Amino acid sequence: MIKLKSLIPEAYNVASKTVKSLLLEGGAGGHMAHPFNIDWVKTGKDILKVFEMSVNYLEKGPAAVKIDGVNASIRFITLDGKKQFVMDRGSMKPLDVKGITKAELTDRFGEGHGMIQIGGTVLDIFNESLPKIASAIKKLGLWNNPNIMFNLEYVAGSTNVLSYNKNFLAVHGLLELEQVTPKRRGTKEIDYNEDAMQDLLNNLQEVATKRGYEVLGSIPTTLDNKPDFSSALNEKYTVDYGDKKETKTLSQWLAQAAVPDTTIKTKDGKVISALSKDVLIKISEGVPLSDYIADPADYKAAIDGFVIYLATMKLGDAVLEQLSSPLGPVSEHEGIVIRDERIYNKPFKITGKFILGGLASSFKK
C-alpha cells in the first residue's frame, strides 16, 4: 500500500493544508487543461498519445516549469490621467473590469483576505519600477492597450501547496482579455518580444530585491533521459465491484477506457463527475463499487474516470522524473506546461502526482 501522504507532501516538501487555504488559486490566468481536457482526447489510447507526443515535443525543445504559486495577473491602464498597474482577477465585477488599485484591494477581496498583501506587493514592485520599465512596456504592447495582462504568479514560501525556499514573482508571458459572452471575460495567450520581456524582468529586479523577491521569467526544462512508460503501463490495478474483483495492467485498462463526460450519484447522495479525484481515491483505496456508486449502470463511467485520472498521474510522473530545471528536479514542482499546437491550440499541463494537490489519504495499488 502506498500512502498519498508520502506521494504528495514528502515528495514536494509540502505542509498539509485544507482546501480553504487554496483560496488564492485561479484568477485571470484561469485553470490550465490536463491532457484529458484536450478536445480530441476521447479514449485511454488518446491519453497515451498525448504523452507520447509530449515526449516528442520535449526532445526538440524545453517546456516550462509550472509553478505552484498564486495567480496575480496585472494590466497597465490610464486612471484619472495617470499611467499605472492594476490587478484584475478576470471576473465581471466592476472593480476587476475597471482595474483594482492597491487602495481598492480590501474593497475587492474583503478584510483579511490573502490577496490584499499579495496584490499590494506585486503592484508596488511594478509601479515603483515604472520609470525603468516604461520602454519595455511599450515594446510589449501594454502602454496603450489596457486589455493586455502579465500572466504572473506570486510565490512566498508555501503560499499555495508546495513549499519554496525563496520568494519570487514568475512572469509566464502575456494574456489578452476578451469578452467571451456579455457575462464572461476570458483570456488568450499572445506572442511577445522576448528581448523586451527580459529587459522588463531585469529592470524589475532592483525594487523587487529591496522587498525580498526575485523576478523570474518562464523557467525552461531539460529532458535528461527519454521517459519510459512501460513500467507505469505494466503496473496492475484492481477494481472491486462488490461481488467480484477485476485486475488488469494500466495498459489493459486504458485500452478499453473512454474519457467520461457524465456525472454519477454516490451512495451518500452526492452527484459528482465520473472523472474526478473522489472517484480516483475511492477506487484506489479498494472501496467496492457497490458500496460507493448508487446505480450499477454508472460503474463503467466510474471505472473509466478512475483509469483516465490514474494514467494521467502515472504517465505524468514518468515524464517529470526525467526533467530538470534551473530550480532543480521538475518532479519537485507542480509540473510542466506544454505549448505545442500540434497537440492542442492552448497550453496544457502535465502534473503527475501533483494532480491530487494536497489531499491526504491512503493510496492502494
Side-chain angles (χ1 to χ4, degrees):
M1 181 181 293
I2 303 174
K3 298 286 188 180
L4 275 183
K5 191 173 291 184
S6 65
L7 285 177
I8 304 298
E10 292 178 12
Y12 292 109
N13 188 26
V14 175
S16 296
K17 296 187 175 186
T18 65
V19 175
K20 185 177 180 181
S21 71
L22 305 183
L23 78 170
L24 307 174
E25 220 173 13
H31 291 281
M32 195 171 291
H34 289 288
F36 51 69
N37 298 130
I38 295 174
D39 51 14
W40 60 265
V41 173
K42 306 296 184 183
T43 68
K45 293 180 181 179
D46 291 340
I47 285 286
L48 182 55
K49 185 177 180 180
V50 169
F51 280 96
E52 291 171 341
M53 293 176 73
S54 297
V55 171
N56 184 56
Y57 169 84
L58 291 167
E59 289 177 322
K60 296 177 180 178
V65 176
K66 190 169 191 315
I67 301 298
D68 180 41
V70 176
N71 185 278
S73 295
I74 58 174
R75 53 191 176 92
F76 192 68
I77 69 171
T78 302
L79 186 62
D80 297 329
K82 180 182 177 183
K83 293 279 190 180
Q84 62 181 289
F85 285 96
V86 291
M87 180 161 281
D88 186 341
R89 298 292 284 170
S91 80
M92 286 296 293
K93 293 182 178 181
L95 277 177
D96 281 333
V97 174
K98 179 189 73 68
I100 314 161
T101 65
K102 181 180 178 181
E104 295 169 327
L105 288 167
T106 300
D107 293 336
R108 171 60 176 85
F109 297 105
E111 197 72 44
H113 196 286
M115 282 306 299
I116 297 171
Q117 184 271 322
I118 291 171
T121 298
V122 172
L123 291 175
D124 280 348
I125 290 173
F126 274 77
N127 282 320
E128 288 178 26
S129 301
L130 188 53
K132 287 193 171 185
I133 64 176
S135 175
I137 293 171
K138 292 174 182 177
K139 292 177 182 177
L140 290 169
L142 281 79
W143 192 264
N144 292 313
N145 188 343
N147 291 318
I148 298 178
M149 312 176 71
F150 284 111
N151 184 9
L152 186 154
E153 279 187 289
Y154 169 99
V155 174
S158 55
T159 307
N160 220 347
V161 174
L162 300 188
S163 294
Y164 294 90
N165 60 8
K166 62 176 73 176
N167 300 334
F168 60 92
L169 307 182
V171 182
H172 300 301
L174 298 181
L175 302 171
E176 186 165 18
L177 281 161
E178 52 187 1
Q179 197 72 39
V180 180
T181 70
K183 295 184 177 181
R184 184 171 72 86
R185 294 188 297 159
T187 58
K188 61 179 180 180
E189 281 197 330
I190 59 174
D191 294 332
Y192 56 87
N193 181 313
E194 293 185 5
D195 290 338
M197 180 66 80
Q198 189 59 56
D199 182 52
L200 176 116
L201 300 176
N202 293 342
N203 284 298
L204 283 169
Q205 194 57 64
E206 181 180 347
V207 173
T209 298
K210 292 178 182 178
R211 294 176 175 273
Y213 290 82
E214 293 183 32
V215 182
L216 307 175
S218 181
I219 301 163
T221 63
T222 299
L223 186 65
D224 299 318
N225 298 288
K226 184 172 182 177
D228 179 9
F229 295 134
S230 59
S231 178
L233 291 171
N234 289 326
E235 279 288 326
K236 293 183 177 181
Y237 297 90
T238 298
V239 173
D240 187 340
Y241 289 80
D243 58 349
K244 66 175 182 178
K245 294 183 179 181
E246 188 173 13
T247 300
K248 295 180 182 180
T249 65
L250 180 56
S251 179
Q252 291 171 328
W253 283 117
L254 278 173
Q256 63 185 41
V259 178
D261 184 21
T262 186
T263 58
I264 58 178
K265 189 174 182 179
T266 62
K267 279 290 187 71
D268 59 5
K270 295 179 182 177
V271 177
I272 62 173
S273 171
L275 184 61
S276 65
K277 296 176 186 179
D278 191 75
V279 171
L280 172 63
I281 297 299
K282 289 294 194 302
I283 295 180
S284 298
E285 289 178 332
V287 175
L289 293 177
S290 58
D291 293 343
Y292 175 47
I293 307 297
D295 186 350
D298 288 334
Y299 286 1
K300 176 63 165 63
I303 293 171
D304 284 352
F306 158 70
V307 171
I308 296 299
Y309 236 110
L310 180 67
T312 300
M313 181 171 69
K314 293 295 184 178
L315 296 176
D317 283 339
V319 172
L320 301 186
E321 287 166 1
Q322 302 304 325
L323 293 169
S324 57
S325 78
L327 289 181
V330 176
S331 59
E332 295 179 0
H333 297 278
E334 181 178 345
I336 59 173
V337 178
I338 300 286
R339 291 178 171 88
D340 187 345
E341 292 196 351
R342 293 168 299 179
I343 305 175
Y344 191 38
N345 61 1
K346 297 178 182 179
F348 67 95
K349 59 188 176 183
I350 292 177
T351 58
K353 63 180 68 72
F354 192 85
I355 199 170
L356 292 174
L359 296 175
S361 179
S362 61
F363 189 82
K364 187 182 297 183
K365 281 189 178 182

